[in-house]
Amino acid sequence: MKMTYQTKGTCSRQILIDIDDATDTINSVEFVGGCNGNTKGLSSLVRGMKVQDVIQRLDGIRCGFRPTSCPDQLATALKQMESERK
């Protein structure tokens, strides 16, 4: 399943996500905008991970005084994908 998620409250504008439905693992994540090195690092770290593991680890992470972050927005997008698959 592929999804384009419009982020809210972060420097990144979009997250492009590809999930392997058969194994419930992340094939790829690409951030549009944001801190280039950080978003590439995050994308590399979650590749091959189970969706629920990524949600559990990233949900609620904040960026400074902001109420969200790029990792938190990825968790939000993954939760949305999970609800759409059901």
Side-chain angles (χ1 to χ4, degrees):
M1 175 179 202
K2 293 185 179 189
M3 174 188 203
T4 300
Y5 180 78
Q6 303 297 322
T7 60
K8 298 161 190 73
T10 61
C11 298
S12 63
R13 297 179 305 278
Q14 287 182 330
I15 308 172
L16 311 172
I17 306 166
D18 181 17
I19 303 285
D20 183 330
D21 287 326
T23 62
D24 200 36
T25 58
I26 296 176
N27 288 329
S28 67
V29 172
E30 180 183 345
F31 286 84
V32 177
C35 303
N36 190 35
N38 290 336
T39 57
K40 282 182 180 176
L42 178 59
S43 297
S44 180
L45 287 170
V46 301
R47 190 177 308 118
M49 288 182 66
K50 295 281 187 186
V51 170
Q52 280 302 316
D53 292 339
V54 173
I55 292 170
Q56 184 178 14
R57 290 178 183 213
L58 302 181
D59 190 36
I61 292 176
R62 297 171 51 135
C63 184
F65 294 106
R66 295 178 184 188
T68 190
S69 65
C70 290
D72 182 58
Q73 287 293 291
L74 176 56
T76 300
L78 293 172
K79 287 189 278 187
Q80 182 177 321
M81 287 180 82
E82 291 267 287
S83 69
E84 290 175 3
R85 291 195 296 176
K86 293 178 181 178

